[in-house]
Amino acid sequence: GGRRAGGDVPKMSLHLKLGSIGVSVVDAAAELLYVTLERLDVSLVESQLRRAVSFNVGVVQVDNMREGTAFPVLLSPVMESADRNTVALTVVQNLAHSNGTDFYYFDYFSVLVQMLDVRSDEDILLSLASLGGRAGKLFAAPSSSSSSSSVSAAAPFTLPTVTESSTRMYFELLVLNAIKVNLTFSPSAGDDDPEASLGGMSSFSPIRTLFQSIGVTMVNINEAPLRLNALVLEHPFVTADALASQLKVHYTRQALAEGTVGAGAVVAAA
């Protein structure tokens, strides 16, 4: 798949190049993160039979904007090169076999992320978790009220109906390349006194609770190598929900295994 048939001439071609884009993440009056994307390159080529999309970012950097942080650069590529992209997405959709509504046929789908350095402290993660929680409640508020009323009106012992997305997808080849991260992490300075950090916010830390749930005590981690293996699927025919579930299981299991091994090794060496 992916080769053009004779006479399959492009009927539309778009190409966007940007030197740099910056996005700021703000909570109330405090800036938490500043995200920089450099050498952004997006292209779309469509013919009668195929649609090819590529999305490439030369450099991705996320800066921690909290005052006093020990890690001002939260995320960055390990190696920067003018001819190497940190993020690369390539999608080739077969329009002849896709119906454009509930079935999508892909000749090729690939995602590549180069090795990253991630340096974080507990405080910025707590701030982001707090922001995400409030945002989630804001967007969920309208639906939660309607769903609660429907549940109360339901007959006793009636299980809710689980509806699966009707969007179906077929991939001749789906490639999600391995993700490699060098992780550096520092717990809050006030670990020994829960009320001493973040004005008492650390008295309950969901991050610390997560570590404790897998039997690991939070300690300093210095450039621990983490790897999430590649996922390569040939000829899968799936719904969008089934694919999302498979990806969730694949990456969650590996992240927990890598986190437990890496953190356990740090604890053993401490």
Side-chain angles (χ1 to χ4, degrees):
R3 293 191 299 271
R4 289 184 181 176
D8 186 23
V9 180
K11 61 180 182 180
M12 180 178 67
S13 179
L14 299 175
H15 199 177
L16 173 66
K17 282 190 175 185
L18 295 174
S20 179
I21 294 179
V23 178
S24 183
V25 178
V26 178
D27 184 11
E31 185 177 21
L32 300 180
L33 301 176
Y34 188 79
V35 182
T36 303
L37 306 179
E38 296 183 0
R39 302 201 315 272
L40 188 67
D41 190 329
V42 183
S43 70
L44 167 64
V45 178
E46 183 170 321
S47 66
Q48 191 69 28
L49 300 179
R50 287 178 175 81
R51 177 186 295 128
V53 178
S54 68
F55 177 85
N56 300 297
V57 183
V59 178
V60 178
Q61 180 168 312
V62 180
D63 295 327
N64 183 348
M65 305 304 292
R66 284 179 57 91
E67 293 185 6
T69 178
F71 308 115
V73 178
L74 190 149
L75 181 148
S76 63
V78 172
M79 297 179 60
E80 293 187 20
S81 173
D83 57 355
R84 186 178 189 180
N85 294 315
T86 301
V87 177
L89 167 68
T90 303
V91 179
V92 179
Q93 181 185 357
N94 191 313
L95 299 177
H97 293 156
S98 302
N99 65 14
T101 55
D102 61 355
F103 177 66
Y104 297 89
Y105 186 116
F106 296 98
D107 290 340
Y108 184 67
F109 193 110
S110 172
V111 179
L112 171 67
V113 179
Q114 298 291 350
M115 184 181 293
L116 300 170
D117 277 328
V118 176
R119 310 172 192 86
S120 179
D121 53 43
E122 185 181 2
D123 291 349
I124 186 63
L125 297 184
L126 287 173
S127 297
L128 292 174
S130 175
L131 176 62
R134 294 197 305 276
K137 290 179 181 178
L138 178 64
F139 288 110
S143 59
S144 61
S145 59
S146 59
S147 61
S148 61
S149 61
S150 62
V151 169
S152 62
F157 310 109
T158 301
L159 294 176
T161 302
V162 178
T163 58
E164 189 175 66
S165 170
S166 60
T167 301
R168 298 166 300 157
M169 297 178 291
Y170 174 80
F171 300 84
E172 289 194 13
L173 182 61
L174 171 64
V175 180
L176 305 180
N177 289 274
I179 300 175
K180 300 177 183 179
V181 174
N182 292 331
L183 177 63
T184 298
F185 177 78
S186 175
S188 297
D191 257 357
D192 295 334
D193 180 5
E195 299 298 326
S197 178
L198 289 177
M201 283 181 61
S202 289
S203 58
F204 173 75
S205 167
I207 302 166
R208 194 175 298 116
T209 301
L210 174 62
F211 272 75
Q212 292 173 349
S213 69
I214 58 176
V216 176
T217 302
M218 289 184 67
V219 294
N220 288 311
I221 300 175
N222 185 28
E223 296 187 356
L226 303 179
R227 175 188 172 92
L228 303 180
N229 291 330
L231 179 64
V232 179
L233 301 176
E234 295 186 63
H235 308 292
F237 181 44
V238 294
T239 64
D241 286 347
L243 179 60
S245 178
Q246 184 172 358
L247 295 180
K248 181 179 178 180
V249 171
H250 174 77
Y251 288 115
T252 299
R253 286 179 177 175
Q254 292 192 63
L256 289 175
E258 287 285 310
T260 303
V261 172
V266 173
V267 171

